[in-house]
């Protein structure tokens, strides 16, 4: 019997210039370029076990939400067990994974897939509905796990993956088709994604940073980001948005290159508000904001005029992402704890993208 096991990890990422609205929904081609910071410990681990002699064929995909997280608890005061990927998410990923061997390795890959029994074990290091884009980390991890496990020589694949930005970028192109934002999780810490391809920005001069997520609301969101991409195009602000975001992206790139924290903070604030205004003004308006979000935004706005302001942003959800200079991390941890009493707060830092943990 021949069984092999590949374990990989991919982080989530947080966009400062948002991917919102698609030119082509079937391929997840974005309307505008986006720019994100790759995270480190807020991630998905996927273990793919292949029994190549089993011969059970393509129905033999098992998905087990049982992988104990590899990481020490990100925040010991948070109580969540092994966080789950929901049933709908599992189905979406199973459908996606089935197409991968053919995409990567043609008919031979497809034949290897069809002959083998596959078991996926997954875990996220963050709670569900936490305002962290779990589709970004899950699809990136899934893409990497299948590409590595079904290659002719997984060890050689891993070596190439560690050394070659080209391989990471090729995987990102495929992963994007599963979930757009996942293509920004293969490199880091700063990634620029336009049209088909995402790549690491090598000229950024930002200081060391820390990232907090204030979980003002733990309920699942009612409008998925995939629905939001569609709805925003019905907003009367949509045309203006397309003009604004182009200029803002150029200014953001320049501010990151210069390490100009006040400019990055100012641009990120405007960008997050503009995306949420689209939600609030589309034909069937909706909002992710809760009273806690609004109160939090109001409080955070009072720090934006400081010499070292926080970078504040939100994804398609109610929770607040606050990015600060690393040497202000302790100060901000205390500030956030005092302001958001009893509210869970996750902590992370910039990272360098997906990795292969082990091959057996
Ligand atoms: C608001 O990548 O989740 O987080 O491509 O439909 O899977 P699909 O959408 P998804 O959209 C993320 C949108 C966002 C902004 C961003 O991450 O840029």
């Amino acid at each position: 019997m021949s069984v092999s096991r590949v374990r990989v990890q991919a982080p989530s990422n947080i966009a400062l210039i948002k991917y919102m609205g698609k030119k082509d929904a079937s391929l997840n081609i974005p309307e505008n370029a986006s720019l994100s910071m790759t995270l480190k410990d807020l991630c998905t681990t996927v273990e793919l076990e292949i029994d190549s002699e089993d011969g059970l064929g393509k129905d033999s995909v098992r998905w087990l939400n049982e992988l104990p997280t590899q990481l020490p608890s990100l925040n010991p005061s948070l109580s969540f067990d092994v966080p789950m990927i929901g049933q709908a998410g599992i189905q979406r990923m199973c459908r996606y994974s089935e197409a991968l061997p053919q995409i990567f390795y043609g008919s031979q890959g497809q034949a290897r897939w069809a002959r083998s029994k596959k078991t996926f074990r997954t875990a996220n290091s963050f709670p569900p509905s936490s305002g962290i884009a779990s589709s970004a980390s899950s699809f990136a991890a899934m893409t990497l796990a299948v590409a590595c496990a079904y290659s002719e020589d997984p060890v050689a694949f891993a070596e190439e993956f560690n050394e070659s930005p080209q391989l990471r970028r090729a995987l990102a192109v495929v992963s994007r088709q599963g979930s757009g934002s996942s293509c920004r999780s293969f490199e880091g810490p700063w990634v620029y994604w336009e049209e088909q391809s995402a790549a690491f920005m090598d000229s950024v001069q930002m200081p060391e940073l820390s990232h907090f997520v204030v979980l003002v609301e733990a309920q699942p969101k009612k409008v998925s980001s995939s629905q939001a991409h569609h709805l925003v195009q019905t907003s009367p602000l949509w045309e203006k948005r397309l003009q604004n975001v182009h200029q803002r992206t150029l200014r953001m790139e320049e501010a990151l290159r210069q390490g100009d924290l006040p400019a990055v903070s100012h641009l990120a604030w405007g960008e997050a508000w503009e995306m949420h205004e689209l939600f609030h003004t589309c034909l069937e308006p909706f909002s992710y904001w809760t009273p806690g979000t609004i109160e939090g935004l109001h409080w955070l706005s009072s720090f934006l005029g400081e010499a070292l302001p926080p970078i504040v942003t939100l994804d398609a959800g109610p929770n607040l992402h606050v990015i600060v200079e690393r040497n202000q991390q302790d100060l901000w941890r205390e500030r956030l704890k005092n302001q958001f009493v009893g509210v869970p707060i996750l902590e992370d830092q910039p990272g360098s993208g997906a990795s292969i943990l082990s091959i057996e």
Side-chain angles (χ1 to χ4, degrees):
M1 187 155 85
S2 141
V3 178
S4 61
R5 200 174 291 118
V6 167
R7 191 177 274 199
V8 308
Q9 209 161 65
S12 188
N13 64 73
I14 177 72
L16 299 189
I17 299 290
K18 307 293 182 182
Y19 155 47
M20 184 44 59
K22 304 182 189 185
K23 267 188 198 150
D24 181 336
S26 63
L27 293 172
N28 292 333
I29 304 289
E31 280 284 357
N32 59 277
S34 62
L35 213 156
S36 60
M37 188 181 87
T38 304
L39 301 178
K40 185 166 172 280
D41 291 338
L42 295 170
C43 64
T44 299
T45 305
V46 169
E47 184 185 276
L48 170 52
E49 186 183 286
I50 300 175
D51 183 345
S52 58
E53 302 298 314
D54 185 277
L56 282 180
K58 134 179 166 102
D59 293 336
S60 59
V61 177
R62 282 201 304 155
W63 195 290
L64 306 174
N65 262 315
E66 64 178 18
L67 187 65
T69 176
Q70 294 295 292
L71 299 160
S73 177
L74 289 171
N75 181 342
S77 66
L78 285 184
S79 58
F80 57 90
D81 299 327
V82 180
M84 299 277 194
I85 296 173
Q87 268 312 313
I90 290 176
Q91 278 170 14
R92 184 176 165 201
M93 293 232 267
C94 280
R95 272 197 310 276
Y96 169 71
S97 66
E98 282 179 17
L100 294 176
Q102 170 78 36
I103 295 173
F104 289 129
Y105 305 114
S107 52
Q108 286 190 350
Q110 187 55 41
R112 280 204 290 281
W113 173 269
R115 275 199 308 274
S116 60
K117 175 173 159 190
K118 290 75 69 177
T119 304
F120 290 97
R121 295 188 178 83
T122 68
N124 287 344
S125 66
F126 46 87
S129 310
S130 62
I132 321 289
S134 66
S135 68
S137 55
S138 311
F139 277 85
M142 179 73 175
T143 308
L144 178 56
V146 174
C148 181
Y150 282 88
S151 70
E152 293 275 8
D153 181 348
V155 173
F157 177 96
E159 277 165 17
E160 194 186 343
F161 181 77
N162 289 337
E163 279 157 26
S164 148
Q166 279 68 32
L167 179 54
R168 287 175 182 263
R169 287 169 199 169
L171 295 178
V173 165
V174 175
S175 194
R176 187 204 75 234
Q177 296 169 50
S179 178
S181 54
S182 70
C183 75
R184 299 184 309 227
S185 284
F186 286 84
E187 299 182 65
W190 297 98
V191 175
Y192 179 86
W193 165 30
E194 185 165 24
E195 296 274 328
Q196 313 265 355
S197 37
F200 160 66
M201 292 172 67
D202 58 2
S203 50
V204 171
Q205 296 293 332
M206 289 294 280
E208 284 201 275
L209 298 170
S210 294
H211 170 239
F212 295 94
V213 194
V214 183
L215 302 180
V216 295
E217 179 65 59
Q219 294 305 311
K221 51 191 187 189
K222 294 198 178 72
V223 180
S224 71
S225 45
S226 295
Q227 289 168 293
H229 284 291
H230 177 66
L231 290 166
V232 288
Q233 309 204 12
T234 65
S235 163
L237 307 178
W238 177 245
E239 290 304 320
K240 191 82 185 129
R241 153 76 180 164
L242 294 179
Q243 293 159 26
N244 289 347
V245 71
H246 179 64
Q247 281 308 316
R248 189 181 289 125
T249 306
L250 294 175
R251 286 161 60 202
M252 181 67 89
E253 281 180 85
E254 185 54 23
L256 288 170
R257 272 198 207 102
Q258 302 288 332
D260 184 345
L261 186 63
V264 174
S265 159
H266 177 70
L267 292 163
W269 178 263
E271 172 67 3
W273 274 81
E274 187 170 272
M275 180 176 76
H276 283 264
E277 276 169 2
L278 293 172
F279 304 149
H280 300 168
T281 55
C282 64
L283 260 186
E284 295 165 47
F286 61 98
S287 181
Y288 293 109
W289 292 0
T290 65
T293 313
I294 296 167
E295 203 180 309
L297 284 170
H298 182 68
W299 175 74
L300 285 161
S301 69
S302 65
F303 297 96
L304 297 183
E306 290 191 347
L308 291 177
I311 301 167
V312 178
T313 190
L314 302 98
D315 263 344
N319 297 311
L320 299 161
H321 293 252
V322 182
I323 302 167
V324 300
E325 264 214 32
R326 180 79 51 84
N327 61 20
Q328 292 207 315
Q329 180 180 11
D330 294 342
L331 169 73
W332 272 98
R333 187 183 300 113
E334 281 313 300
R335 271 184 183 161
L336 292 169
K337 258 178 23 200
N338 292 336
Q339 175 65 21
F340 300 96
V341 178
V343 174
I345 299 172
L346 300 172
E347 220 169 302
D348 202 359
Q349 52 187 289
S352 54
S355 57
I356 297 169
L357 300 178
S358 63
I359 299 171
E360 291 166 28

